[in-house]
């Protein structure tokens, strides 16, 4: 929701009421879209901060619970802006120009210069807002369906350019969760909107609610006119807030002109304020505790940023942007065929047991992952082509590395050898070595034992056992072609 001021009943029945229900059935992310507010209100930003707090208070008053959903302020999670920028690189201009609200809003908001880059690009920022949380659904009304459709197209285009796997796309295409929104006219019979001055606010006091309803335009200019609650702002309030009995009573009275609008308004005020009173009271309690508001925002931002950053790590990597943590590794082996990445230096790692980590890109047909390795626990992976790859680790001892393993159904053997300078060498032994020499491997209590040694002339030799000539394996260091 854009923080353009306190929320009114139209915002409540159009979205917020539904959000309060959804927080119990779904994992929800709700944010105050302060950057979006700037797309139309960039010439006076003096209230955007304060309005953000007002919106949060309205949310809390309406029943959003920080224990059940994540609430945050958009500009606090910078990853939205980053993904928006990356999306802007791949999105054709025509896609944005044809979004229906682009032209509509320019016509409706006469007097504002909306020929700005930010206004044209706001559906793209929305796309980033959604996709960054890998959202399954976006709860929207009919008028927002086109925006979600654009989001899906942008995600698809991004996947087309950057997803490595066709079967598991990098970015998720969200679905719409269509919400039937009850009709609610403003007190002057136009659409309820703050800019028309025809709205009832969630935070209005009882006397203000009473006055607004009392002065509301109705559908019966004369007492003898027959009206329709559907076309009347007061009738709409009954349809939303009155119980069935009262709704039947005023509907008959209105259509048959047997009640007065004055009586109808009094009843509407009672029904509406019974509901708003609870919201107002909860809102008031929350407003008295600024520490709580700060905590809610900080907690929400931490939750949201964690999920957003996970997406961005995958996005940056898929695009191929330089990751400074990997600079050493990249310089060491600039190979297009790279499928396994071993940090070049592990000096300074704290945890001895998990000091070796490898990163696989496409072995498991997913986005890249980091796997910790333990000395005593080899790992087995399956590549995209179904190859079984065993990864074994050893530290240097007496000038060599001793590896032991059991599984003879491996297709590829990866030996990670850590030297005394804490540098990792990765030998990826192709299937032919295993097939040719399997029988010769030395056995020790059902395990197969091999030793890797560096010879004085710089060769690296794989020793299979006594009587078997050692196999030079220099050529296999960092050569991942065996995994393709
Ligand atoms: S009777 Fe009620 S619903 Fe009908 S026009 Fe009057 S105020 Fe509106």
């Amino acid at each position: 929701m854009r923080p353009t001021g306190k929320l009114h009943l139209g915002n409540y029945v159009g979205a917020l009421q539904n959000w309060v229900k959804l927080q119990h059935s779904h994992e929800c992310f709700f944010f105050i879209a302060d950057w979006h507010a700037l797309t139309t209100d960039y010439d006076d930003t003096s209230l955007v901060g304060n309005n953000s707090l007002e919106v949060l208070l309205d949310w809390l008053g309406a029943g959003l619970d920080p224990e059940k959903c994540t609430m945050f302020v958009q500009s606090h999670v910078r990853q939205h802006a980053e993904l928006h920028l990356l999306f802007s690189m791949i999105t054709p201009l025509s896609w944005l120009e044809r979004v229906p609200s682009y032209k509509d809003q320019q016509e409706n908001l006469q007097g504002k210069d909306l020929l700005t880059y930010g206004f044209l690009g706001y559906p793209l920022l929305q796309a980033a807002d959604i996709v960054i949380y890998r959202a399954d659904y976006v709860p929207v009304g009919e008028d927002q369906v086109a925006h979600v459709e654009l989001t899906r197209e942008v995600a698809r285009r991004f996947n087309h350019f950057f997803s490595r796997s066709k079967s598991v796309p990098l970015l998720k295409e969200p679905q719409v969760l269509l919400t039937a929104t009850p009709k609610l006219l403003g007190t002057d019979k136009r659409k309820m909107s703050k800019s028309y001055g025809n709205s009832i606010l969630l935070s209005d006091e009882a006397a203000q609610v009473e006055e607004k309803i009392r002065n509301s335009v109705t559908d019966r200019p004369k007492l003898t006119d027959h009206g329709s609650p559907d076309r009347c702002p007061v009738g709409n309030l009954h349809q939303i807030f009155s119980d069935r009995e009262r709704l039947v009573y005023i509907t008959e009275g209105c259509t048959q002109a047997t009640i007065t609008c004055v009586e109808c308004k009094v009843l509407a005020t009672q029904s509406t304020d019974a509901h708003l009173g609870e919201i107002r009271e909860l809102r008031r309690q929350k407003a008295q505790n600024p520490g709580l508001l700060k905590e809610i925002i900080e907690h929400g931002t931490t939750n949201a940023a964690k999920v957003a950053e996970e997406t961005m790590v995958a996005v940056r990597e898929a695009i191929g942007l330089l990751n400074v943590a990997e600079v050493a590794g990249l310089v060491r082996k600039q190979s297009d065929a790279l499928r396994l990445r071993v940090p070049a230096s592990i000096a300074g790692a704290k945890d001895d047991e998990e000091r070796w980590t490898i990163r696989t890109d496409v072995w498991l047909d997913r986005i890249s992952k980091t796997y910790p390795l333990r000395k005593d626990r080899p790992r087995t992976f399956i590549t995209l082509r179904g190859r079984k790859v065993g990864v074994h680790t050893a530290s240097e001892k007496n000038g060599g590395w001793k590896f032991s393993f059991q599984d003879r159904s491996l297709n590829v053997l990866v030996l990670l050898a850590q030297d005394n300078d804490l540098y990792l060498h990765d030998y990826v032994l192709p299937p032919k070595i295993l097939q040719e020499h399997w029988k010769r491997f030395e056995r020790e209590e059902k395990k197969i034992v091999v030793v890797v040694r560096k010879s004085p002339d710089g060769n690296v030799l794989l020793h299979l056992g006594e009587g078997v000539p050692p196999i030079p394996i220099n050529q296999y260091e960092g050569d991942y072609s065996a995994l393709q």
Side-chain angles (χ1 to χ4, degrees):
M1 279 190 194
R2 286 157 36 110
T4 48
K6 291 177 173 175
L7 300 182
H8 54 66
L9 278 184
N11 305 126
Y12 179 66
V13 299
L16 187 51
Q17 202 175 21
N18 185 43
W19 292 8
V20 173
K21 284 187 206 137
L22 285 174
Q23 69 178 340
H24 298 289
S25 55
H26 293 72
E27 184 190 4
C28 297
F29 289 81
F30 300 122
F31 66 88
I32 295 159
D34 53 353
W35 278 334
H36 280 287
L38 304 184
T39 57
T40 51
D41 297 340
Y42 56 84
D43 50 351
D44 180 5
T45 55
S46 56
L47 292 176
V48 70
N50 201 49
N51 284 344
S52 298
L53 263 190
E54 295 287 0
V55 169
L56 179 65
L57 280 170
D58 282 329
W59 285 2
L60 296 172
L64 283 188
D65 179 351
E67 299 287 319
K68 299 217 159 51
C69 64
T70 297
M71 289 180 260
F72 61 97
V73 178
Q74 182 186 30
S75 65
H76 296 180
V77 183
R78 309 282 153 87
Q79 287 88 344
H80 289 232
E82 185 184 0
L83 188 57
H84 175 216
L85 177 123
L86 295 173
F87 279 174
S88 75
M89 303 298 170
I90 63 159
T91 306
L93 263 184
S94 58
W95 287 16
L96 299 173
E97 285 163 345
R98 72 166 194 234
V99 172
S101 60
Y102 179 59
K103 289 253 151 48
D104 290 355
Q105 289 238 42
Q106 278 183 338
E107 280 161 21
N108 287 343
L109 298 175
Q110 299 263 339
K112 276 193 196 250
D113 179 6
L114 294 182
L115 287 172
T116 57
Y117 171 68
F119 184 67
L120 178 69
Y122 92 86
L124 211 51
L125 179 57
Q126 276 189 332
D129 297 334
I130 297 166
V131 164
I132 207 160
Y133 297 104
R134 309 189 284 279
D136 294 311
Y137 298 106
V138 194
V140 290
E142 282 286 353
D143 56 333
Q144 289 283 321
V145 170
H147 287 171
V148 180
E149 189 47 47
L150 176 76
T151 301
R152 293 166 54 79
E153 282 175 23
V154 171
R156 212 173 301 144
R157 189 168 165 89
F158 188 94
N159 288 336
H160 169 73
F161 284 126
F162 303 118
S163 263
R164 293 196 184 153
S165 157
K166 294 283 171 258
S167 55
V168 184
L170 180 63
L171 298 181
K172 191 177 254 179
E173 290 180 35
Q175 307 288 331
V176 290
L177 194 63
L178 259 188
T179 314
T181 49
K183 198 170 141 211
L184 179 61
L185 293 169
T187 52
D188 59 358
K189 270 183 127 172
R190 290 188 290 174
K191 183 178 184 258
M192 190 176 282
S193 160
K194 230 167 301 149
S195 50
Y196 295 153
N198 65 357
S199 53
I200 298 172
L201 302 181
L202 280 188
S203 50
D204 275 345
E205 293 298 330
Q208 291 170 293
V209 175
E210 192 274 330
E211 188 189 346
K212 286 181 179 178
I213 296 178
R214 182 160 37 81
N215 293 331
S216 176
V217 173
T218 71
D219 193 43
R220 292 168 60 202
K222 291 201 297 282
L223 201 57
T224 49
D225 287 344
H226 294 238
S228 164
D230 280 343
R231 295 192 302 261
C232 173
V234 183
N236 288 173
L237 289 173
H238 279 292
Q239 289 168 334
I240 295 163
F241 297 116
S242 288
D243 60 25
R244 200 173 154 62
E245 196 184 334
R246 183 170 284 183
L247 181 59
V248 169
Y249 172 72
I250 71 99
T251 303
E252 277 177 18
C254 177
T255 51
Q256 294 163 26
T258 54
I259 59 166
T260 63
C261 288
V262 173
E263 180 190 352
C264 185
K265 285 175 172 180
V266 170
L267 294 176
T269 304
Q270 285 172 0
S271 299
T272 306
D273 208 54
H275 203 88
L276 282 191
E278 285 175 27
I279 294 177
R280 200 161 47 225
E281 183 46 37
L282 194 51
R283 193 187 196 282
R284 200 183 345 253
Q285 286 171 18
K286 303 289 181 189
Q288 283 166 358
N289 190 349
L292 175 75
L293 301 180
K294 181 170 176 279
E295 210 175 278
I296 290 172
I297 293 173
E298 283 174 352
H299 178 68
T301 303
T302 305
N303 271 357
K306 181 169 171 285
V307 179
E309 180 59 18
E310 280 167 12
T311 305
M312 289 314 299
V313 166
V315 162
R316 291 177 205 125
E317 172 152 352
I319 293 176
L321 300 173
L322 182 63
N323 178 348
V324 74
E326 289 179 351
V327 166
L330 286 176
V331 171
R332 191 157 74 92
K333 31 186 167 4
Q334 288 175 326
S335 160
D336 284 347
L338 201 68
R339 286 295 180 272
L340 166 79
R341 292 188 192 164
V342 184
S345 168
I346 51 175
K350 285 190 204 104
D351 185 345
D352 189 52
E353 287 304 304
E354 297 204 342
R355 62 201 307 171
W356 296 331
T357 60
I358 57 167
R359 296 190 51 208
T360 70
D361 276 1
V362 292
W363 291 23
L364 304 178
D365 198 8
R366 333 180 169 154
I367 57 173
S368 60
K369 271 199 150 187
T370 300
Y371 294 95
L373 290 181
R374 287 172 52 147
K375 281 184 207 164
D376 54 343
R377 226 178 271 168
R379 289 199 81 131
T380 305
F381 299 94
I382 308 294
T383 67
L384 276 174
R385 300 214 168 163
R387 289 205 167 137
K388 193 170 173 186
V389 181
V391 181
H392 295 258
T393 57
S395 302
E396 186 170 8
K397 219 175 191 178
N398 305 327
W401 296 270
K402 190 173 171 185
F403 297 90
S404 63
F405 47 95
Q406 276 176 311
D407 193 344
R408 62 170 299 172
S409 65
L410 295 173
N411 302 113
V412 180
L413 187 58
V414 178
L415 303 178
L416 298 183
Q418 180 204 340
D419 65 23
N420 289 332
D421 296 326
L422 295 179
Y423 191 87
L424 269 180
H425 304 269
D426 40 339
Y427 302 101
V428 186
L429 306 185
K432 67 174 184 189
I433 288 204
L434 298 187
Q435 284 154 12
E436 276 177 28
H437 300 286
W438 194 265
K439 284 201 188 111
R440 298 170 170 184
F441 283 15
E442 191 170 328
R443 276 139 231 266
E444 192 179 82
E445 291 179 1
K446 290 192 190 160
K447 285 197 175 164
I448 296 158
V449 177
V450 298
V451 177
V452 171
R453 279 185 196 285
K454 273 194 182 161
S455 62
D457 59 6
N459 267 331
V460 181
L461 300 171
L462 178 68
H463 297 264
L464 299 180
E466 270 186 42
V468 184
I471 306 162
I473 57 168
N474 289 48
Q475 58 183 308
Y476 301 123
E477 181 167 7
D479 177 6
Y480 295 97
S481 53
L483 302 179
Q484 288 182 318

